[in-house]
Each structure stands twice: as C-alpha cells, then as structure tokens.
Amino acid sequence: MDQLCNISSASPAIHASILWSQRPLLADPPASAIYQKLLNGGRPSIWLVYDHLQFLVSIRNDVDDADVSGYLKDIQATYAYMQEHSQGSVAVPGIREAKIWLNLHSTDLRFISAAHFDNALRSVRTLCFNAPLDTHVMERAKNFLIPYESLLRALGCHTMVRPNKPALAQRSNQKRPMDDILVAILDHYLEANQHFMAAVSELWRARFTGVWGWDLAPKPIIDVGADTDLNSKTVRYMIDFAYTGEVQWPRPRNEEDVKDLAKEARAERFAAHCERFRKANERFVEDCKAMKSDEGTP
C-alpha cells in the first residue's frame, strides 16, 4: 500500500548514501528544483548525517564481504559530507570521543574485508597525522582517513610537527659517507662514521682525537656500553640523527629520557632536537602521557 510522505521528511536520491537509515527515499521523487525551495535547500542536517554514520558503524558486523564495497562507499560519502560541513560537525556532542573513524591501510575497497572493521575503529583522540609510527596510545592516521584530514584536524586530531633538519644533516642526505667504525654497546654492534658522530657530540669527538684518534685501526670497535647508562636504542637514535637530522621515535613520550641521555653524552645538538620536538608537539606529547596514565600503564 502506498504511503503519503512529507517531502521535507524524505531524502532526495543524491543524498541517499548519507541518509538512508534516517529518512525514507521517494520512489518517484520530484525535480531537484523543488528541494531548493525547502529550508537549507533540502540539504540534510549534520545531526542526521552523524546519526547515520553511527548507524553504519553499529551494523559493521552484519556486513557481508560481498557488500563491503557499497558499505565503505557510504562511509566515505558520510565522512566527505561531514568534512564539507565541518563547522557543524565540530558542534556535535561526543563526536571527539566516538569510535567512528575507520583507520584502514588501504583505499582500494577490493582488498578490504568486513573482518578488518572492528580492529580499525578509532576516536579522534587517538589518531595523529604525520606520525612515523604507532605508539601504545596514539595511532598514525592511515590511507583511508587521509582525504578527511581537514575534518579530523578541526575535531582536534593531532598532527606531529617535525623540527627542521640541521644544515649538516641536510647535506649528508645527498650522499651517505662510508661507515668506518663499529659502535659496541652490550651485545649490539652499530655501524657509523666517526666524522659524523664527532660533529654531533663532544664525547664522540674525544673518541677520535688525541691519542685515541691516532691509535684507531681500520674499522675500529668503539665500546660505549661499559661505563655509561646508554643503551643500544639510544645510540641508534644518535647515529640516525647524525646522518639524517631526524629521530624515528618509538614512543613520542620518551623524548625526555632520550634528551637526558643525550645531555649526558654531551650530544648538545641531539638534545636540542629533542627539545624542539617537545615544543613543536607539546599538546601531543602531554596527551600521550595523560592517556598512558589513564590506562595505568607504567
């Protein structure tokens, strides 16, 4: 039996993918010009679209693999509409805490299965753009969410800022010098170049000058683990910094410990880089610490 429907309560076909769970679709819709006479030109409110997104998330376990592509296209259309109306999106209560963002590696819908959904859902609070890797409490935003960066940033998503590289490191990227020493620390051996290590630390410079410097044999082994609190990871950070001017942090919250060790080794440029990182990402680092503390993780 046919039912009467107020046109203002129905959805035009153009908005079907972002509204079908919240509004009926007309079997015989009027011309698009009719909708232009309605409030907001017939565009759905951000509240309805957000409710639709929550509905899509709620049915994720009911999606068959054959329907994944269509399901994800609706998700993408909903994200895109919310980004287009980001001013309204930021006013939606609870949106920053809601786990509604599918942080998937792939944008090719053919290679995504429904089994990926549960493990990929994140809230804005736990996502970060431009991060080199994931941490225990913060995850880098992956390919599926990259097109919606402006929306997520408007909602408070973090973006990691990397300090500028020192001029020496920028030049070194053009052609890496040959490694000519082995750095021994406990049971680890790390290759490095004595000139670059001397450039970043007075302590390393002392290893390669005076009596020590003249006595160095080809490919010498420099043991730094016997009389310091340095560990192999910290030394690797220092070596990487000497070559690239960047540090690939395993966890952004550890910059204080690494900075202290760098100061102990008199690697002042390396310690200064740690401080620049902290200042450039102060809110990010503090939020990571707060979330870590909330979870009771040491």
Side-chain angles (χ1 to χ4, degrees):
M1 178 179 177
D2 292 338
Q3 295 182 341
L4 294 177
C5 179
N6 187 327
I7 189 174
S8 63
S9 300
S11 171
I14 192 174
H15 292 143
S17 62
I18 63 172
L19 211 58
W20 59 262
S21 71
Q22 305 297 310
R23 287 288 187 265
L25 299 176
L26 297 178
D28 187 17
S32 59
I34 301 297
Y35 285 99
Q36 299 302 317
K37 298 181 181 297
L38 299 176
L39 184 65
N40 294 326
R43 294 187 300 273
S45 73
I46 201 66
W47 303 88
L48 283 175
V49 176
Y50 178 65
D51 287 344
H52 177 65
L53 177 58
Q54 288 187 309
F55 173 81
L56 290 175
V57 171
S58 73
I59 65 170
R60 63 189 181 279
N61 293 326
D62 300 323
V63 178
D64 295 329
D65 281 341
D67 299 322
V68 163
S69 181
Y71 173 81
L72 290 176
K73 286 179 180 178
D74 286 355
I75 290 274
Q76 290 174 320
T78 307
Y79 288 166
Y81 186 87
M82 294 177 68
Q83 178 164 260
E84 184 181 349
H85 301 85
S86 59
Q87 187 172 358
S89 298
V90 300
V92 175
I95 192 171
R96 292 170 177 81
E97 290 75 29
K99 292 185 177 181
I100 54 176
W101 309 102
L102 282 172
N103 198 28
L104 299 165
H105 285 283
S106 180
T107 57
D108 192 331
L109 307 187
R110 297 172 301 170
F111 300 109
I112 301 175
S113 72
H116 294 135
F117 296 159
D118 270 345
N119 291 332
L121 281 172
R122 299 291 181 268
S123 71
V124 165
R125 292 182 67 246
T126 59
L127 290 171
C128 179
F129 286 96
N130 201 35
L133 40 75
D134 299 335
T135 73
H136 179 67
V137 294
M138 197 75 67
E139 186 173 296
R140 68 191 187 280
K142 299 180 176 67
N143 293 340
F144 193 82
L145 292 179
I146 295 301
Y148 317 108
E149 180 175 357
S150 64
L151 168 62
L152 293 169
R153 292 182 65 179
L155 292 172
C157 183
H158 291 283
T159 298
M160 186 178 291
V161 179
R162 303 191 189 187
N164 292 332
K165 299 179 184 179
L168 174 62
Q170 290 175 344
R171 291 196 298 272
S172 74
N173 282 342
Q174 298 174 7
K175 184 178 180 181
R176 174 169 172 160
M178 295 295 293
D179 295 327
D180 58 4
I181 59 172
L182 280 176
V183 180
I185 178 163
L186 302 179
D187 294 328
H188 294 81
Y189 292 88
L190 309 172
E191 291 188 320
N193 178 275
Q194 57 182 307
H195 299 292
F196 272 75
M197 298 312 297
V200 299
S201 170
E202 293 180 7
L203 184 63
W204 287 94
R205 189 177 304 120
R207 296 273 183 174
F208 311 127
T209 57
V211 176
W212 282 349
W214 288 111
D215 289 343
L216 287 178
K219 202 71 171 181
I221 297 178
I222 308 298
D223 190 345
V224 299
D227 55 357
T228 74
D229 292 329
L230 295 173
N231 58 44
S232 60
K233 289 184 179 179
T234 304
V235 174
R236 168 52 61 194
Y237 301 155
M238 297 173 72
I239 293 174
D240 288 345
F241 179 72
Y243 284 116
T244 68
E246 292 183 338
V247 182
Q248 298 298 320
W249 304 100
R251 291 183 181 176
R253 66 160 291 181
N254 76 351
E255 53 84 24
E256 292 179 353
D257 294 336
V258 176
K259 181 177 66 176
D260 290 342
L261 289 170
K263 287 182 176 179
E264 180 181 331
R266 297 201 293 275
E268 297 302 328
R269 288 175 61 241
F270 185 80
H273 180 82
C274 294
E275 181 63 18
R276 287 195 300 272
F277 176 89
R278 185 193 65 79
K279 289 182 177 179
N281 299 278
E282 189 168 3
R283 185 173 69 91
F284 173 64
V285 173
E286 292 305 316
D287 282 356
C288 282
K289 291 179 180 178
M291 284 188 284
K292 194 83 169 177
S293 176
D294 290 344
E295 291 184 0
T297 305

